[in-house]
Amino acid sequence: MTRSKLIAGNWKMNGLAASTAELDKIIAGSRDLPARVEVLVCPPFTLIDRFADRAERSRVAIGAQDVHAKESGAHTGCISAAMLRDAGASHVIVGHSERRTDQKESDAEVQAKAAAVIAAGLIAIVCVGETEAERDAGEATAVVGRQLAGSLPAGATAANLVVAYEPVWAIGTGRTPSTADVAEMHAFIRGRLRAQLGGEGEGVRILYGGSVKASNAAELLAVPDVDGALVGGASLTAEQFLPIGQAV
Ligand code: 13P
């Protein structure tokens, strides 16, 4: 089965109106990427609308970094999936480890958010990953297995679900797992997707995230069952982001 590769940028809490110039460079450079590469940029909420306008009729899709699970109502400061779609987002990251830690998001909350994203007709990117202590204790696959069982919404398909494996200790540290460890984890995740989603699990893209940059992208993207990358720091400039797409 051939799955197209998704190279996704998570801008986290970075970006102002002036960053539109950087998006323009990403849009322009994306024209030269291999045909089977999809490009996604997830800026903060405040930039989704203007980025989506800018990226219209380009091969760059625009996504969000979080969402509220409810459709509407008395939830001050929160944003619904319908609002994100209305603003021009096509994808939504849910369950990023920074939110699981900082906002204490549980698997059940992440699952509810992913379900809301899918119900709104958008694509959910569900993040999972172990801490360093969990890996050292030999619990990495057990932890990720638990997160998948608790966070994946029922009825998800290859068209509306992406999974991102991001070992917490590799995020923003410059450290990455060995390609053997990435292969082992992605094969494990593929098995769980097949078990939870049946035939659809075969087509769900599994991204690797954590210190992906131009210099390690080719090696990581060549690992079986690595269907793309979720990129933090190196997604903020076209100069660093585009070579990751070229590495596919
Ligand atoms: P870095 O690429 O900066 O390590 O961040 C990874 C990440 O958390 C993407 O969601």
Side-chain angles (χ1 to χ4, degrees):
M1 140 144 257
T2 47
R3 293 173 290 265
S4 61
K5 302 272 183 185
L6 176 61
I7 305 299
N10 174 9
W11 278 27
K12 307 191 180 181
M13 199 170 71
N14 297 287
L16 298 169
S19 314
T20 308
E22 205 58 49
L23 177 74
D24 287 345
K25 287 188 203 162
I26 292 173
I27 291 169
S30 71
R31 293 187 194 113
D32 302 324
L33 292 177
R36 60 198 196 93
V37 177
E38 288 173 40
V39 186
L40 171 69
V41 173
C42 300
F45 289 135
T46 47
L47 292 177
I48 290 173
D49 194 10
R50 89 175 72 204
F51 272 29
D53 273 354
R54 216 70 188 192
E56 223 186 326
R57 287 183 298 278
S58 82
R59 56 189 288 191
V60 177
I62 303 300
Q65 302 170 18
D66 183 43
V67 68
H68 194 281
K70 294 265 164 62
E71 275 180 46
S72 62
H75 303 286
T76 301
C78 297
I79 307 273
S80 73
M83 292 170 186
L84 295 174
R85 191 189 53 219
D86 194 44
S90 53
H91 298 63
V92 185
I93 298 168
V94 295
H96 192 281
S97 63
E98 286 151 17
R99 296 199 59 86
R100 288 179 185 266
T101 303
D102 299 350
Q103 277 76 31
K104 313 267 180 301
E105 286 187 9
S106 65
D107 285 333
E109 282 171 273
V110 174
Q111 185 181 48
K113 289 180 177 202
V117 169
I118 290 170
L122 304 177
I123 298 169
I125 302 177
V126 177
C127 302
V128 295
E130 81 286 357
T131 64
E132 183 155 40
E134 288 162 345
R135 176 156 287 270
D136 289 347
E139 293 167 359
T141 49
V143 168
V144 168
R146 229 171 20 239
Q147 290 173 331
L148 290 170
S151 310
L152 297 186
T157 68
N160 60 28
L161 177 70
V162 174
V163 171
Y165 168 58
E166 299 204 301
V168 177
W169 52 273
I171 294 176
T173 58
R175 297 165 56 207
T176 53
S178 67
T179 50
D181 284 346
V182 173
E184 185 188 7
M185 184 61 85
H186 280 237
F188 170 77
I189 294 171
R190 178 70 60 208
R192 288 302 172 100
L193 288 171
R194 281 194 204 106
Q196 282 184 243
L197 304 174
E200 289 294 323
E202 193 61 36
V204 172
R205 265 96 53 93
I206 308 172
L207 312 183
Y208 167 78
S211 296
V212 176
K213 44 186 191 269
S215 57
N216 61 19
E219 185 180 46
L220 289 163
L221 289 165
V223 174
D225 278 307
V226 173
D227 306 309
L230 184 54
V231 186
S235 72
L236 293 171
T237 62
E239 191 187 355
Q240 293 184 68
F241 190 43
L242 291 168
I244 296 170
Q246 290 290 0
V248 169

